[in-house]
Amino acid sequence: MTITEIQNTIIEDFSFLENWEDRYEYMIDLGKSLPLIDPQYKTDEYLIKGCQSQVWLHAENEGDIITFTADSDAIITKGIIAILIKALSNQKAADILAADMSFIDKIGLKEHLSPTRANGLVSMIEQMKLYAKAITLKNK
């Protein structure tokens, strides 16, 4: 599936949930279903700067396909990174760089986060795109 198709699925999933309590519950479940990040990547080197909580993000590439793993010490934040991983993992670096992330606004996520969590969300997206950019440059 393309990033846009996955994002549309996420939008659809959120549209079935009637209120933000249900949506937070869904995000927590997504966070719980994240594949475990290898403990060797739970170091300062992999911490995303600008997040209120600790969020570790690791990217691996096979050719031009990037796979992300992550973890967080906060359940809501872990759910947020799980949404981003669902949308961007196992995709081509160029597609990640070109991805329109407005689906975040369409599900209403940013407006229901505290300002510090919203900043963290932006930092997560930026870090994922930085990994994609680095891999693109490495493969040239």
Side-chain angles (χ1 to χ4, degrees), residues 52-81:
Q52 177 182 8
S53 311
Q54 291 187 305
V55 180
W56 299 272
L57 178 68
H58 177 254
E60 287 188 19
N61 69 300
E62 193 170 310
D64 197 29
I65 302 294
I66 300 176
T67 303
F68 293 102
T69 55
D71 196 6
S72 177
D73 61 352
I75 57 173
I76 295 293
T77 306
K78 193 170 180 174
I80 294 168
I81 194 70

Side-chain angles (χ1 to χ4, degrees), residues 101-121:
M101 300 303 286
S102 63
F103 85 101
I104 296 292
D105 296 324
K106 291 177 183 166
I107 62 175
L109 183 57
K110 204 182 271 186
E111 68 190 58
H112 283 89
L113 296 176
S114 66
T116 51
R117 278 221 171 98
N119 288 341
L121 168 66

Side-chain angles (χ1 to χ4, degrees), residues 37 39-50 54-57 127 131:
I37 190 170
Q40 72 178 346
Y41 302 120
K42 287 182 80 169
T43 63
D44 287 348
E45 182 182 348
Y46 296 94
L47 266 178
I48 296 178
K49 311 297 183 259
Q54 291 187 305
V55 180
W56 299 272
L57 178 68
Q127 187 61 49
Y131 275 127

Side-chain angles (χ1 to χ4, degrees), residues 2-98:
T2 68
I3 292 173
T4 302
E5 290 169 339
I6 295 167
Q7 290 174 344
N8 287 337
T9 300
I10 294 169
I11 292 166
E12 194 174 308
D13 292 346
F14 270 79
S15 73
F16 289 118
L17 303 169
E18 293 184 17
N19 57 52
W20 269 94
E21 191 174 306
D22 292 341
R23 290 175 180 196
Y24 281 124
E25 189 80 29
Y26 177 65
M27 286 177 16
I28 290 167
D29 288 343
L30 284 175
K32 288 177 182 175
S33 70
L34 259 183
L36 292 177
I37 190 170
D38 191 310
Q40 72 178 346
Y41 302 120
K42 287 182 80 169
T43 63
D44 287 348
E45 182 182 348
Y46 296 94
L47 266 178
I48 296 178
K49 311 297 183 259
C51 287
Q52 177 182 8
S53 311
Q54 291 187 305
V55 180
W56 299 272
L57 178 68
H58 177 254
E60 287 188 19
N61 69 300
E62 193 170 310
D64 197 29
I65 302 294
I66 300 176
T67 303
F68 293 102
T69 55
D71 196 6
S72 177
D73 61 352
I75 57 173
I76 295 293
T77 306
K78 193 170 180 174
I80 294 168
I81 194 70
I83 290 169
L84 296 177
I85 286 176
K86 186 174 183 173
L88 299 177
S89 196
N90 301 309
Q91 299 291 332
K92 291 182 179 180
D95 294 340
I96 293 168
L97 285 171

